[in-house]
Amino acid sequence: MSSERADGLVLVINSGSSSIKYQLLDPESSTVAASGMVDRIGEANAGIEHRAEGLTVERHEPVADHTAGLRLVFEMFAETGRDLASEGVHAVGHRVVHGGEVFYRPTLIDDAVVTAISELSSLAPLHNPANVAGIESARKLLPGVPQVAVFDTAFFHSLPDAAKTYAIDAKVAAAQGIRKYGFHGTSHEYVSGRVAELLDRDPADLNQIVFHLGNGASASAIKGGHPVDTTMGLTPLEGLVMGTRSGDLDPGIVPHLMRSADLNIDQVDELLNRNSGLKGLSGVNDFRELQRLIDQGDAAAKLAYDVYIHRLRRYLGAYMVELGRLDAITFTAGVGENSPQVRADALAELSRFGIAVDPALNTAKDRTARHISAPGAEVAVLVVPTNEELAIARAAQRVVAAEQV
């Protein structure tokens, strides 16, 4: 391992099936030096939006694959004054969706790690292959820089047995790696830590529920700094109603659709992951568009919203019982941070449980971490912007520092 300092700038890469999101940031100061996204990889109308030094630069050109996409990222850095290949990057942190039972802490990447992540693709076929493509491309372009994988499932690795175990044949479950893994773990861990800071409380003495509400959505119950339950399961499909995912449903729906609607397994998978949730019920998965339709009197959009809120409240109640004592409820991610209506409706008429939202605080135009609970309410209600990139950067920095000792 190089004797270079482990501190400095970290490049964080989130490689999706057809996109690469990235940030270059300082884990110590939280300062973002640059960020951007390559979109529509593999399509003729691909392009990049790169933000640095207060400027946004765009280019539109075909991007054949993830290696070409990362090369384009490097070109944009060079054009805006920073050559990533020769200066200032002390580590690369990669978001990896599924770590299975193998990976439950940030891990320095080598050939064996790449192979193991690839072998977990059966558990996350839409995500892990794309994550591996980003890793392999970055290793080629920055061969001398330590690269670290940070796993979405890691925070939930040690869920209690009763929470992570599905009631199916135990031998089948063991052979196929079937258990609740949970996702959005980097966000839930970061946000719950920020809540402890904001409340000036020891995480070990804090019971909290975190709602990560974006196009993908999940909730977690966290007791004493450790998760005791979460809504997503073997895959990100379980749990809350999402933008295009169904969330919880009767498992019997799957064989019913295969027998009665003559759908094959891939068609069912496509239906439940890409054409269900808010989109399946209303035709749209963008919450702003959903609200516009509701304001116009669209009955399907209103039903979709009501189903969404119903599921949130169901898990809120379940997690309140599971925790026994509740100190804080926190909303994060795109919808959680930006929809006062969702926050108000999810927590409506719960004052007897010590939960009340202050309307003025809830609707204030404020993008910072903040309290929105009513004065005197027993349970703190907060909005905390998530920062998965910062969490990944800090994790990568810690791994590299440990290797250099």
Side-chain angles (χ1 to χ4, degrees):
M1 178 63 65
S2 167
S3 60
E4 274 191 347
R5 295 180 308 122
D7 56 351
L9 296 176
V10 175
L11 177 64
V12 175
I13 296 175
N14 181 352
S15 181
S17 59
S18 62
S19 67
I20 301 170
K21 298 178 183 178
Y22 62 91
Q23 277 194 12
L24 182 68
L25 68 160
D26 183 338
E28 296 294 337
S29 67
S30 307
T31 302
V32 177
S35 64
M37 180 171 70
V38 183
D39 201 11
R40 297 184 297 276
I41 292 172
E43 300 180 22
N45 61 339
I48 184 172
E49 181 177 284
H50 180 81
R51 297 177 292 277
E53 305 295 334
L55 299 175
T56 299
V57 183
E58 295 184 29
R59 279 170 57 178
H60 298 280
E61 59 187 71
V63 178
D65 52 28
H66 287 77
T67 297
L70 275 179
R71 284 202 184 99
L72 182 57
V73 170
F74 279 45
E75 289 175 14
M76 296 299 282
F77 270 105
E79 287 180 13
T80 54
R82 185 183 297 275
D83 185 354
L84 291 181
S86 62
E87 61 163 297
V89 179
H90 293 274
V92 180
H94 294 270
R95 178 191 180 224
V96 179
V97 168
H98 217 306
E101 293 280 12
V102 180
F103 299 108
Y104 49 90
R105 56 175 61 94
T107 302
L108 191 69
I109 294 171
D110 58 20
D111 291 345
V113 169
V114 174
T115 298
I117 294 171
S118 296
E119 290 173 349
L120 291 167
S121 292
S122 62
L123 294 174
L126 298 178
H127 299 95
N128 274 35
N131 301 154
V132 168
I135 290 170
E136 291 179 330
S137 299
R139 293 179 78 200
K140 291 176 184 175
L141 293 166
L142 290 173
V145 178
Q147 315 234 353
V148 177
V150 180
F151 297 88
D152 256 19
T153 51
F155 185 53
F156 300 114
H157 176 78
S158 298
L159 285 174
D161 288 345
K164 72 182 182 184
T165 302
Y166 290 108
I168 68 170
D169 183 280
K171 292 180 180 178
V172 172
Q176 301 301 322
I178 296 174
R179 55 155 284 188
K180 174 170 281 196
Y181 289 100
F183 299 87
H184 296 148
T186 306
S187 177
H188 285 279
E189 184 174 19
Y190 173 83
V191 169
S192 60
R194 286 285 291 130
V195 169
E197 293 173 0
L198 292 166
L199 297 180
D200 194 22
R201 296 274 299 274
D202 184 343
D205 297 325
L206 195 62
N207 288 0
Q208 52 182 308
I209 295 170
V210 175
F211 285 108
H212 176 109
L213 306 179
N215 194 49
S218 60
S220 63
I222 301 171
K223 176 179 286 190
H226 301 285
V228 295
D229 210 346
T230 188
T231 52
M232 287 180 167
L234 172 74
T235 75
L237 184 60
E238 186 180 0
L240 302 177
V241 175
M242 306 176 221
T244 65
R245 298 182 189 131
S246 64
D248 292 340
L249 47 73
D250 179 351
I253 291 173
V254 174
H256 174 75
L257 288 172
M258 295 177 71
R259 294 187 187 112
S260 298
D262 198 27
L263 300 181
N264 63 39
I265 194 63
D266 291 330
Q267 290 171 320
V268 172
D269 184 73
E270 178 80 6
L271 172 68
L272 298 182
N273 276 291
R274 298 184 183 276
N275 294 300
S276 294
L278 298 176
K279 181 181 178 182
L281 292 172
S282 70
V284 300
N285 61 288
D286 186 297
F287 234 89
R288 293 162 296 187
E289 182 65 13
L290 185 76
Q291 187 61 60
R292 186 186 68 81
L293 292 174
I294 292 171
D295 292 342
Q296 293 176 352
D298 188 296
K302 180 61 166 61
L303 176 60
Y305 180 85
D306 290 345
V307 172
Y308 183 93
I309 296 297
H310 176 82
R311 190 73 55 83
L312 287 179
R313 288 172 67 86
R314 182 208 294 176
Y315 273 108
L316 172 65
Y319 286 175
M320 286 170 61
V321 172
E322 190 162 6
L323 290 169
R325 186 197 80 243
L326 181 60
D327 301 305
I329 300 168
T330 305
F331 294 88
T332 192
V335 176
E337 294 171 29
N338 296 301
S339 178
Q341 192 67 53
V342 165
R343 298 191 296 260
D345 290 342
L347 304 184
E349 300 179 356
L350 296 177
S351 59
R352 69 171 61 190
F353 300 104
I355 301 168
V357 172
D358 183 287
L361 294 175
N362 186 37
T363 56
K365 302 296 183 182
D366 188 345
R367 294 188 176 276
T368 63
R370 61 199 186 277
H371 292 255
I372 61 169
S373 41
E378 181 180 347
V379 178
V381 181
L382 304 98
V383 178
V384 175
T386 191
N387 195 335
E388 294 171 273
E389 291 81 9
L390 178 60
I392 291 170
R394 288 175 173 171
Q397 182 188 52
R398 289 194 299 270
V399 170
V400 173
E403 288 290 319
Q404 293 176 346
V405 172

